[in-house]
Amino acid sequence: MSPRRNRPNAAGSSSGPSAEDDRAGRYGGWQSTESWHGEDWSVRHVAGASAQGKTYRCPGCDQMIASGVPHVVAWPEHAGVDDRRHWHKACWNAKDRRTTRVQRSRNAPRF
């Protein structure tokens, strides 16, 4: 048996993955930039396997995104991590057709 080689495959390649490589692979989806309300938004599509054990509230429909459901994470380009919001894919696609005020039932909690 020959010893394991710990040399890079190509000359000049980096020793590990870069932050750009991590943007899509880590969360199981792909990331793009979209314009909405005059702002540029970073939009990341998250695979269901990456969302196991986590639940989120969609700002488009005010309903829960169940654990393991593929969805979209969107945030303004100039904003930080705290401004990320998790949307159902259909809600994100319909964001321009929705009203600005979400109608809730009388006893629904406000989040």
Side-chain angles (χ1 to χ4, degrees), residues 36-37 58-63 87-103:
W36 184 45
H37 287 276
C58 175
C61 65
D62 203 35
Q63 300 296 314
W87 296 68
H88 291 106
K89 287 183 180 183
C91 294
W92 177 255
N93 292 335
K95 64 190 176 296
D96 293 325
R97 295 188 304 267
R98 293 187 180 273
T99 62
T100 57
R101 184 176 163 104
V102 175
Q103 298 294 321

Side-chain angles (χ1 to χ4, degrees), residues 8-76:
N9 291 337
S13 66
S14 64
S15 61
S18 68
E20 288 296 316
D21 296 339
D22 190 46
R23 286 171 57 173
R26 181 176 179 187
Y27 299 100
W30 51 275
Q31 184 169 331
S32 63
T33 303
E34 294 183 22
S35 181
W36 184 45
H37 287 276
E39 283 187 279
D40 286 336
W41 287 68
S42 292
V43 181
R44 179 178 291 152
H45 295 262
V46 179
S50 299
Q52 287 292 341
K54 304 171 193 167
T55 58
Y56 305 100
R57 183 162 299 272
C58 175
C61 65
D62 203 35
Q63 300 296 314
M64 296 301 290
I65 300 173
S67 172
V69 173
H71 60 280
V72 173
V73 180
W75 65 96

